Amino acid sequence: MPELPEVETTRRGIARHLTGRRIREVRVHDGRLRWPVDPGMAATVTGQRLLAVQRRAKYLLLRLERGTIILHLGMSGSLRVLPQATRRLAHDHLELVLDSGQMLRLNDPRRFGSCLYTKADPAEHALLRKLAPEPLGPDFDAAYLHAAARRRRVAVKQLLLNGQLVTGVGNIYASEALFRARIRPQRRAGRLSLGDCQRLVRAVRAVLALAIRAGGTTLRDYVGADGNPGQFRQKLYVYERAGRPCRVCRTPIRKLTQAQRSSYYCPSCQS
DNA sequence: ATGGGCACCTGGCTGC
DNA sequence: TGCAGCCAGGTGCCCA
């Protein structure tokens, strides 16, 4: 599901309700996520104050007094802030009950999401340690991308999905960024010029920023902390638009499969 | 080191 | 109406 814009939208939505609150209770209704929720986590976390809600790539970090809860929404996860007695629905996995009377609830039908706890610096956690720079931060620039892509034979689309090289970009925004950069998804990463990388970096940053402003993209499951879907779907240029006219040149959009995932592009606008 | 493929899940849609 | 098959915002892991 959620790519960076959806995770960031979630972060903003939950942060104002969580920051400064104390966790009264942790209810694990179904700990079967990508990794089983540690049965000891509830006791460790209960009573701690939430200091901040941060994001690293597509991970949400709930910073507590003595550690950090690391959340990932997988393909279908969402977080909502609700009154603590709100009736439970299918696929609600866990709830953090706050001293405000509200709770943070994780729902995830496909269970690819995760909820982990670490006492150490989360940046050093095995899942986060090797992640590429933040795409909206200063270290993600044309020189970086050009160096990362050098001598790589994979298609640029797959490069964008490799979290060790580029973070935050998932299947939707990879196609959208390549369209904006006028680069075909099949192009070998190693064949990108510095100028291509410049356009691609700008396109990635632009599409992520615009999607955040729209509250993300909802295809099916995703809702923000307030329960509302994202509005960026209407602004997509190529994703899920196979056969329909390019919004720039009217040429029919094409779809192809790369690494068992769909890519979309305009054969006229992109080379 | 790099790249390819699979695995983990549920649910919604399509077509027979 | 039922059911098989395919597809979906991610990513860790195993293998060549």
Side-chain angles (χ1 to χ4, degrees):
Chain A
M1 103 38 165
E3 304 183 36
L4 185 148
E6 294 74 39
V7 178
E8 178 61 19
T9 299
T10 298
R11 188 194 69 76
R12 294 178 185 184
I14 67 175
R16 62 171 153 266
H17 300 286
L18 267 56
T19 306
R21 307 262 55 129
R22 199 172 284 283
I23 297 171
R24 274 256 170 77
E25 185 190 354
V26 179
R27 303 174 185 152
V28 180
H29 303 295
D30 181 358
R32 297 175 306 154
L33 292 171
R34 175 150 200 194
W35 293 284
V37 176
D38 175 4
M41 194 192 75
T44 310
V45 158
T46 299
Q48 291 199 54
R49 193 178 289 281
L50 282 147
L51 305 179
V53 182
Q54 301 168 335
R55 179 188 55 74
R56 172 72 177 104
K58 299 172 193 166
Y59 291 92
L60 282 168
L61 307 176
L62 309 190
R63 306 303 298 263
L64 310 182
E65 292 167 292
R66 297 186 295 281
T68 303
I69 296 173
I70 302 174
L71 292 171
H72 197 288
L73 300 177
M75 289 278 264
S76 58
S78 58
L79 287 167
R80 294 192 59 184
V81 175
L82 299 161
Q84 71 166 58
T86 307
R87 184 187 143 83
R88 248 198 299 150
L89 299 174
H91 313 299
D92 284 339
H93 288 271
L94 58 94
E95 295 160 348
L96 300 185
V97 181
L98 310 175
D99 60 2
S100 60
Q102 292 185 303
M103 66 177 170
L104 179 72
R105 172 186 275 173
L106 172 67
N107 181 281
D108 185 2
R110 291 178 72 181
R111 302 201 267 122
F112 290 166
S114 50
C115 176
L116 305 167
Y117 179 80
T118 180
K119 287 185 208 174
D121 177 0
E124 296 306 315
H125 191 279
L127 294 176
L128 308 193
R129 203 171 37 208
K130 297 192 319 202
L131 291 175
E134 281 297 310
L136 296 175
D139 296 336
F140 182 68
D141 60 17
Y144 166 81
L145 186 61
H146 196 240
R150 240 182 61 147
R151 277 185 265 156
R152 293 220 167 226
R153 299 180 60 78
V154 280
V156 59
K157 162 78 180 331
Q158 285 159 256
L159 187 96
L160 290 177
L161 297 182
N162 181 341
Q164 313 216 337
L165 301 174
V166 180
T167 64
V169 179
N171 207 42
I172 297 176
Y173 301 115
S175 282
E176 294 298 310
L178 287 165
F179 174 81
R180 287 163 183 263
R182 305 175 67 89
I183 297 166
R184 289 199 187 200
Q186 310 93 310
R187 180 102 68 89
R188 303 244 191 205
R191 308 286 287 274
L192 295 174
S193 68
L194 189 58
D196 291 328
C197 290
Q198 188 118 51
R199 293 204 314 284
L200 189 48
V201 163
R202 285 194 186 135
V204 165
R205 301 173 89 116
V207 78
L208 294 179
L210 288 168
I212 290 169
R213 284 177 55 180
T217 301
T218 296
L219 297 181
R220 38 187 66 81
D221 301 297
Y222 175 76
V223 290
D226 52 7
N228 295 319
Q231 300 301 308
F232 197 68
R233 192 178 191 179
Q234 295 95 291
K235 309 232 171 121
L236 299 174
Y237 279 91
V238 292
Y239 189 83
E240 280 194 330
R241 297 197 67 245
R244 298 175 59 196
C246 172
R247 294 182 146 165
V248 172
C249 76
R250 318 312 297 170
T251 303
I253 298 301
R254 286 192 196 158
K255 173 179 179 175
L256 75 153
T257 300
Q258 299 179 283
Q260 298 119 248
R261 313 201 67 189
S262 298
S263 303
Y264 300 83
Y265 70 101
C266 171
S268 170
C269 291
Q270 295 170 255
S271 58

